Every structure is written in C-alpha cells, then in structure tokens.
Amino acid sequence: MKAWKPALAAIVAAMIVFFVPLPYFISYPGDATSTEQIIDVSGAEKEPGDLMMLTVAQRRATPYFLVESLFLPFSETSDVSDYLYDGESDAQYENRQQLYMEEAQHNAMIEGYELADKEVEVDFEGVYVSGIISGGPADGKLRAGDQIVAVDGASLKSMSSFMQTISSKKAGTDVKVKFERDKKTKTTTIKVGKLAKNSEQVGLGIYEPLPMSDVQTDPKVEFNLENVGGPSAGMMFTLEIYDQLTDGDLAKGHTIAGTGTIEEGGKVGPIGGAWQKVVAADEAEAEIMFVPAGSNYEEAKPSIKKLGTKMKLVPIKTVEDALDYLEELPEK
C-alpha cells in the first residue's frame, strides 16, 4: 500500500528541481543570425557578404538550471530585480522586450532609409508605460501597459516633445494625462513630482517610457523575426536595410557581426551582455564584430582574449562609424 509513496516523492522532487522558479535570471551566449534572413526590402537583391545580429539567451532559474549554470562558461546569474520593475510580472517583462524590439526595428527603418535618401514617414502614436515607480506621482493613476496619447489636451507628436512637456513643469503642477487601457480611452490628473530629493528634475514617476510609432517606407520593408526581444539589434538592422537599399555588397564578402541600439541621429547606444555576444559571434565564425564604444567595448575585450579568437573587435559610436569602416574594408 505504501509502495507508491517513494515514487510520488521522487516525482514531486523532480518537479521542484526542474520547474519551481527562483528569484534569479540566468543569461548565457545566444545566437548569431544573418540579418538578411530577417529583413526583406521590396525589390532588393541579397549580397554574398553576411551581416549578423547577436543575442544573449536568458531563462528564469530553477534549482536545476541554477546548479547547471555553475558549470557553463560565460553564463551569469542575476537577481530578478535586475530585470523586472517593481510589480512587473514575467509576462509584462516579455511584452516590454517585444516593444523594445519594435522600437529597434522602427528606428532602424528611419535611419536606414534616411541614410539611403529613401522615403520614410513616421506616425507617432503615443508613449507606452513600462512600469510605475512605487510611491511616485503616477502610482495609482497609471499602470504598466497604458499608452499615453495626450498631455493637457495636446496630442503627443514625438517622444522628445512628451519628455520636454513634462520636464518643463514645476514640481507640484497638475497635468491632465489622456491614455488608452484595454482599448478604452481614459483621462487622469497627475501632480508632477521631483524624481529625487536633491534634484530639480521632475517627472511622472514612470519607468522607461517607450515611444510607439507607425513607420511607412517606400520601398516596403518587412521583418521576419519571432521570440527575440530587446533593442540591441537596432544598429545591425540599420546596416542591413541600408545595404539592401543601396548598390553593392556592404560587407564585401566578409562575415560581420555586431550589436548596439540605434538612436535618433544614428547614434549607437550601449547594450547588455557584450562579453557574452562575443562568444556567439566567434561560434558563427565572424571575422569582425562591431560593438558600442566605451564600457561595452572594454567589457567585450577580455572575452576575445579568453577565446583566443582572431575576430577583430571594432568599437563604434555611430552607424556612420560602421559605414566608414566597411567602406575601407578590402573585398574578400
């Protein structure tokens, strides 16, 4: 009669070891993916050279995966608070990562088409609320997932105009915020507050507001990418779009990997996991890897030495830096 108890105990133990989430995330080197497999500009011809985006893989830790990570080179365990905002669920975090990816694609389209002197139109749709700072001005007024569309009766025209409107207010000033939630339009009044006790900078108390836009191009461009989030592929997306819009092979027959966000004006912004992305690039036999200059470049250099790879690490500050480098690159 009691013979089933050890088996049941073993099943329960296995479920705990493999499935019970712990308050940690584990990250490790991801993949290098050809951007020409992801991006299709209408009427463009694909070239022999290869541009590749890089990823870092991550998963929520369980007892099994936490122990396993101790034996995996280039893995890192981080507290869940390093990833999730206060009160943010895993599902909301994943949604935020997808919005980062959409923003990266939009920014890449804008910069790539402008560099190639092609037509691009941007319709700004509002500001996505990633999260609310506990005890801040917007606490109890807004929540993660809301989309702000107007402030003080004026529709938002851009992310910068939204930031300027709020930052120009004095602490204690009431602002009327119009937003969308669950496909319904709502309005609330929020008292602008100081972001820190010893600072004059003011805000609504929103974690990392994200721009939401509709971008139309001529010729059309499509992205074919699933289950990948974050903004760090933006720079490589820009290079691929520019490559497809212009004559010749931008990579000149070489295999080139890279990482970095793309920001207004072509600036390349910092990313996470640069030291782990070196591994992904090396495993894909990349000859060159672009990386944001500064801390990301310094972070990535030890991985180059540890791997003993001949891959060249190239720091860049703007997408134009990458284009200048490729222009001087000899044909393979």
Side-chain angles (χ1 to χ4, degrees):
M1 294 293 292
K2 297 181 179 180
W4 57 270
K5 290 187 177 181
L8 178 60
I11 292 172
V12 172
M15 292 181 67
I16 291 173
V17 168
F18 284 97
F19 299 108
V20 172
L22 299 175
Y24 305 101
F25 274 104
I26 300 170
S27 64
Y28 45 94
D31 299 316
T33 305
S34 173
T35 50
E36 72 174 14
Q37 296 176 10
I38 297 169
I39 300 172
D40 285 309
V41 174
S42 179
E45 293 184 6
K46 304 298 176 70
E47 304 290 348
D50 207 359
L51 301 171
M52 297 188 297
M53 61 169 281
L54 303 169
T55 62
V56 171
Q58 65 182 41
R59 70 191 316 159
R60 178 69 88 108
T62 66
Y64 173 81
F65 292 122
L66 187 61
V67 173
E68 180 190 53
S69 70
L70 299 176
F71 302 95
L72 294 176
F74 297 98
S75 68
E76 182 177 56
T77 300
S78 304
D79 191 274
V80 69
S81 63
D82 293 338
Y83 289 84
L84 305 184
Y85 294 139
D86 292 341
E88 186 178 34
S89 67
D90 284 15
Q92 289 172 326
Y93 169 74
E94 292 299 331
N95 183 62
R96 176 158 56 89
Q97 295 304 306
Q98 289 302 312
L99 288 172
Y100 287 147
M101 173 56 72
E102 290 180 17
E103 181 186 9
Q105 293 174 1
H106 290 163
N107 289 347
M109 291 162 66
I110 295 167
E111 295 301 327
Y113 274 70
E114 288 182 347
L115 283 168
D117 291 323
K118 300 295 183 180
E119 185 177 340
V120 57
E121 296 182 0
V122 183
D123 181 18
F124 190 74
E125 297 178 334
V127 173
Y128 178 84
V129 178
S130 297
I132 302 298
I133 298 175
S134 180
D139 193 7
K141 303 280 188 173
L142 299 174
R143 66 188 189 200
D146 289 344
Q147 181 177 336
I148 300 174
V149 296
V151 173
D152 286 340
S155 298
L156 300 181
K157 301 299 182 183
S158 66
M159 185 67 183
S160 58
S161 68
F162 168 73
M163 301 297 287
Q164 290 170 3
T165 297
I166 299 302
S167 63
S168 67
K169 305 288 185 181
K170 292 184 178 180
T173 302
D174 286 338
V175 295
K176 186 176 291 185
V177 177
K178 185 178 180 180
F179 62 98
E180 295 179 359
R181 176 187 297 167
D182 300 329
K183 298 182 180 180
K184 295 181 180 179
T185 301
K186 300 175 178 288
T187 301
T188 188
T189 299
I190 302 175
K191 195 179 296 293
V192 173
K194 290 185 177 181
L195 298 182
K197 291 182 178 179
N198 299 323
S199 172
E200 294 301 316
Q201 190 176 6
V202 299
L204 299 180
I206 297 173
Y207 283 120
E208 206 165 0
L210 298 174
M212 301 187 74
S213 304
D214 177 53
V215 181
Q216 298 295 325
T217 62
D218 185 19
K220 298 291 185 181
V221 58
E222 292 185 359
F223 286 81
N224 305 294
L225 184 63
E226 295 181 355
N227 302 320
V228 178
S232 64
M235 188 273 295
M236 294 305 292
F237 286 164
T238 304
L239 292 180
E240 180 62 41
I241 290 171
Y242 178 81
D243 189 23
Q244 293 189 35
L245 287 171
T246 56
D247 295 332
D249 180 10
L250 190 62
K252 297 182 178 177
H254 296 270
T255 301
I256 300 172
T259 185
T261 66
I262 189 69
E263 301 173 8
E264 188 174 349
K267 181 181 177 181
V268 174
I271 49 86
W275 64 288
Q276 295 166 314
K277 291 179 179 179
V278 170
V279 181
D282 183 56
E283 289 180 348
E285 300 182 347
E287 303 157 65
I288 297 164
M289 176 179 167
F290 290 126
V291 66
S295 60
N296 280 160
Y297 175 63
E298 297 301 324
E299 171 195 337
K301 286 196 294 185
S303 294
I304 292 284
K305 184 176 181 180
K306 185 174 181 179
L307 290 169
T309 179
K310 295 181 180 179
M311 180 176 65
K312 186 172 183 180
L313 194 65
V314 178
I316 57 173
K317 295 181 179 179
T318 66
V319 70
E320 286 85 355
D321 289 344
L323 291 173
D324 290 343
Y325 182 90
L326 294 173
E327 184 176 348
E328 298 298 322
L329 189 68
E331 294 279 353
K332 187 173 181 180

